[in-house]
Amino acid sequence: MVEEIFQKFRDWIDNRHEYAKEWKEKTNRKIIGYFCTYVPEEILYAADILPVRILGSHEPPTVTEPYIFAMFCHLCRDSLAQGLKGKFDYLDGIVEGQSCLHLRQTFNAWRLHIPVDYAYYIYVPHSVQTPHATPYLTQELAKFKHSLEEWIGRKVTDSDLDRGIRTMNRNRELMRKIYEYRKLDNPKITGLEAMEMVLSSQMVDKEEHSKLVEQLLRELPNRKLNRNPGTRLMIIGSEDDDRIFMQNVENLGATFVIDEHCTGSRYLWNNVSPSEDRLGAIAERYVDRVPCPSKDWPEFTRVKHAVNLAQEFKAQGALVIQNKFCDPHGIEIPPLKEALKSIGVPIYPLEFDVTVPWGQFRTRVEAFLETLTGLEDLF
Ligand code: SF4
């Protein structure tokens, strides 16, 4: 049964567009595509809208050149390519929560060249470490809610917001409980399976997803994974949905026991603390969450979080995925390296593009794994 649950997560990812179209047909409700996890899905659920994350497909993008620069990160180029090819033609709207310049341009290119009924850019502050950030974002969320209300033609009430907060909190809490099983000496799930669980949660109705994660929580304690976990690895980076890479690395005698990705732990680590001021509570969550490096300034709080994760999940080494052309993540690699090295966790950086040269990467990852098992010490 556990295998069937993981297969369902996989199916949802592979058939994300078919799922969305069927959901729309079945519910007669709107679907909004969002680019970055700074979009507060709580408010979209409160408005009875299904949020789905816009991601790429890892096919070489051939259609984006006239619309955004070729030196934008692959997430942006590949996502936009999917829109230009009509893969997201069921979207009623798009929303972006300000993160980096590349994603802002992607949002703008989409808004200009791919017809949607509704487009909204939320000015999530860059300086999340100032005391002004939460009150500022609360006001921005009020503007966003108002704009949504005008579009859908009804008020989003406090009880709607409570429902939206409950839906998101429950899903994040359940997935965090699953992550606990990754701490075991013999983890009950692989890194690929964890990635597929979180990724699929960004593509389907959270209520449906939560039911399946609840079922998984009931059945996981009895699962015996018939594999040697090998070296305990952490994977760190930006958005990462390269499932083939995960599988290939885990086939080399390793298990990703924890991740630091916005398609992983960074998405689910923090909840909204309910309060009378619903929008204030949501704003606080997005200001206080584990930050994307585009907002991780002047303190590198994400680096401290990565160190805690490495210790809690007993990682022996970390692969750091640097998306080509991504400055925010590139800037955090030196402090990440220092901080993880200080607790005895060496890192190995790999540069990702839309497709990954696995032949070269295999040799490099194998060599890294050898250093971790004591054959060499390059650090
Ligand atoms: S990988 Fe970097 S450049 Fe690309 S969207 Fe994320 S923060 Fe922006």
Side-chain angles (χ1 to χ4, degrees):
M1 198 58 194
V2 171
E3 309 314 317
E4 285 170 31
I5 294 173
F6 283 118
Q7 185 56 47
K8 184 74 183 171
F9 293 143
R10 228 162 278 140
D11 290 345
W12 275 337
I13 298 169
D14 293 338
N15 305 306
R16 65 191 83 166
H17 302 301
E18 291 73 15
Y19 174 93
K21 285 175 195 164
E22 278 167 26
W23 184 91
K24 197 169 176 173
E25 179 82 23
K26 195 169 64 189
T27 62
N28 204 21
R29 283 160 36 188
K30 295 184 191 300
I31 303 184
I32 275 191
Y34 68 95
F35 296 90
C36 175
T37 53
Y38 274 97
V39 170
E41 291 175 76
E42 289 82 353
I43 299 177
L44 294 169
Y45 275 103
D48 285 321
I49 293 167
L50 177 67
V52 296
R53 190 160 183 197
I54 297 173
L55 294 172
S57 71
H58 299 281
E59 297 156 6
T62 50
V63 292
T64 46
E65 284 287 299
Y67 305 98
I68 53 171
F69 295 126
M71 41 64 73
F72 275 23
C73 84
H74 76 76
L75 165 66
C76 295
R77 283 179 285 124
D78 197 5
S79 298
L80 184 63
Q82 302 312 304
L84 290 166
K85 287 176 177 172
K87 296 278 173 65
F88 284 93
D89 58 357
Y90 50 85
L91 292 184
D92 299 287
I94 52 166
V95 176
E96 169 56 354
Q98 176 160 262
S99 54
C100 73
L101 195 59
H102 289 197
L103 269 177
R104 182 157 85 186
Q105 290 305 101
T106 308
F107 168 84
N108 272 325
W110 194 299
R111 190 172 56 83
L112 292 172
H113 302 291
I114 306 165
V116 274
D117 197 33
Y118 179 81
Y120 195 94
Y121 189 84
I122 306 171
Y123 289 94
V124 180
H126 284 305
S127 304
V128 290
Q129 294 178 19
T130 80
H132 310 294
T134 302
Y136 169 81
L137 183 57
T138 306
Q139 287 184 23
E140 290 304 310
L141 295 187
K143 287 187 215 162
F144 173 49
K145 180 169 96 69
H146 180 67
S147 153
L148 270 183
E149 288 171 336
E150 290 205 323
W151 183 48
I152 61 175
R154 76 162 178 90
K155 284 272 171 214
V156 173
T157 64
D158 279 351
S159 96
D160 290 330
L161 287 172
D162 288 342
R163 180 171 41 79
I165 291 170
R166 270 199 310 275
T167 298
M168 289 300 296
N169 275 357
R170 175 171 167 240
N171 191 248
R172 289 185 288 237
E173 261 164 36
L174 289 168
M175 291 196 286
R176 272 193 70 165
K177 286 185 185 163
I178 297 287
Y179 266 50
E180 288 296 307
Y181 288 96
R182 306 178 75 184
K183 290 181 179 169
L184 300 176
D185 288 343
N186 198 345
K188 296 248 178 216
I189 64 170
T190 65
L192 172 65
E193 288 170 335
M195 176 185 271
E196 289 176 329
M197 172 183 73
V198 183
L199 249 187
S200 59
S201 81
Q202 299 181 344
M203 295 170 177
V204 303
D205 190 330
K206 292 274 191 299
E207 294 294 345
E208 202 176 337
H209 192 267
S210 290
K211 277 187 199 147
L212 205 58
V213 183
E214 262 174 350
Q215 200 180 332
L216 181 59
L217 268 174
R218 284 194 294 275
E219 299 190 16
L220 208 50
N222 301 321
R223 184 190 206 195
K224 287 195 178 51
L225 254 189
N226 194 19
R227 69 189 287 279
N228 179 353
T231 308
R232 299 176 70 87
L233 285 180
M234 180 170 185
I235 186 160
I236 303 177
S238 173
E239 181 280 332
D240 179 21
D241 58 2
D242 199 320
R243 294 184 286 153
I244 295 173
F245 175 80
M246 296 292 282
Q247 183 163 36
N248 284 344
V249 173
E250 293 196 310
N251 284 346
L252 294 178
T255 301
F256 287 110
V257 291
I258 186 61
D259 64 78
E260 209 292 307
H261 277 146
C262 64
T263 36
S265 70
R266 201 154 67 238
Y267 180 63
L268 53 93
W269 221 247
N270 308 73
N271 260 353
V272 177
S273 303
S275 104
E276 276 298 301
D277 174 7
R278 278 80 171 174
L279 291 181
I282 296 171
E284 197 169 27
R285 188 265 167 194
Y286 284 86
V287 165
D288 288 347
R289 58 163 269 187
V290 182
C292 165
S294 63
K295 299 184 186 299
D296 202 16
W297 180 90
E299 295 290 325
F300 291 127
T301 54
R302 170 179 165 259
V303 172
K304 290 181 197 139
H305 175 71
V307 167
N308 291 341
L309 286 181
Q311 286 174 321
E312 256 186 77
F313 287 80
K314 296 176 282 189
Q316 293 169 264
L319 292 180
V320 177
I321 305 309
Q322 164 66 9
N323 282 359
K324 195 173 181 178
F325 305 125
C326 170
D327 291 340
H329 279 267
I331 286 165
E332 280 206 352
I333 291 181
L336 256 179
K337 182 176 177 179
E338 280 307 305
L340 288 169
K341 192 176 162 190
S342 75
I343 58 159
V345 177
I347 72 161
Y348 192 83
L350 290 167
E351 188 178 71
F352 268 34
D353 208 329
V354 177
T355 54
V356 159
W358 175 245
Q360 291 172 28
F361 278 13
R362 180 191 173 116
T363 313
R364 294 166 63 188
V365 172
E366 277 175 339
F368 180 59
L369 291 176
E370 282 176 10
T371 67
L372 296 179
T373 46
L375 293 177
E376 285 176 54
D377 188 1
L378 294 176
F379 294 87

